[in-house]
Amino acid sequence: MDNPVTELDARFSDPGVQPTAWEETQGVLENAQLTWLTTVRADGRPHVTPLVAVWLEGALHFCTGPEEQKAVNLEANPNVVLTTGDSTWNKGLDVMVEGPARRVTDQRTLEKLAEAWRTKWTGQWQYEVGEEAFTNDIGGTALVFAVQPTKVLAFGKGTYSHTRYTPR
């Protein structure tokens, strides 16, 4: 999401506060060490799980094993919410990304993402690129997904603000 439409929701913001700049919100997405993914099970119940995600080229990316609950859920319903931020009440910025999760299978994009995972966590997350997915050193496969945001919300704390970003 480049240069999104930015709107402050005054109902949930301190008087006189300005909307959070997109660059600050994007920085939270780029630097987050942990993100929470919410998917929907086939029977309508929510499923929430923490994971590591990478912001690259305007989308938030995550991966999962093909048999994991989140992968099963995405087969039936690709719509997700990803959240990250600070668990304190009076400081920081919490960010929510909403949109459909789409499989990433392009070799070049997978290679860029594998490098992004290695770089972001100083080598702790090592993926190789296999046939339309990541692989790891113990023979596992990880499906890779991209979420192009349909909406992003940023919740400023301390000085409270509620900023909404939508694609142009």
Side-chain angles (χ1 to χ4, degrees):
M1 179 185 294
D2 293 321
N3 194 25
V5 174
T6 302
E7 304 170 82
L8 180 73
D9 190 332
R11 298 173 302 167
F12 307 111
S13 301
D14 286 341
V17 72
Q18 295 297 309
T20 302
W22 171 245
E23 294 74 19
E24 182 179 351
T25 299
Q26 185 173 321
V28 169
L29 294 170
E30 289 170 345
N31 296 309
Q33 294 297 303
L34 189 63
T35 303
W36 293 86
L37 172 69
T38 303
T39 59
V40 180
R41 298 172 195 262
D43 66 5
R45 292 180 298 134
H47 177 261
V48 181
T49 187
L51 48 71
V52 293
V54 171
W55 179 263
L56 184 69
E57 297 178 352
L60 198 53
H61 299 82
F62 65 92
C63 57
T64 182
E67 306 297 323
E68 292 185 44
Q69 186 65 54
K70 52 190 167 291
V72 172
N73 295 348
L74 291 170
E75 286 282 323
N77 183 345
N79 296 300
V80 302
V81 175
L82 293 129
T83 56
T84 193
D86 190 324
S87 65
T88 62
W89 173 251
N90 61 355
K91 67 177 181 171
L93 186 68
D94 295 335
V95 179
M96 185 276 313
V97 174
E98 184 177 303
R102 305 280 186 229
R103 278 280 311 276
V104 176
T105 58
D106 171 70
Q107 184 83 10
R108 184 169 173 259
T109 304
L110 288 170
E111 289 170 0
K112 287 174 24 179
L113 287 166
E115 178 60 26
W117 253 278
R118 280 190 292 276
T119 302
K120 183 172 179 178
W121 286 277
T122 60
Q124 291 175 297
W125 292 90
Q126 295 286 330
Y127 292 113
E128 299 301 322
V129 176
E131 186 67 32
E132 298 186 340
F134 284 166
T135 60
N136 61 34
D137 58 359
I138 57 173
T141 298
L143 307 178
V144 181
F145 291 87
V147 178
Q148 292 282 345
T150 56
K151 174 173 65 174
V152 175
L153 297 176
F155 303 93
K157 299 177 292 186
T159 300
Y160 298 97
S161 63
H162 178 168
T163 305
R164 176 187 179 119
Y165 312 92
T166 52
R168 290 194 183 270

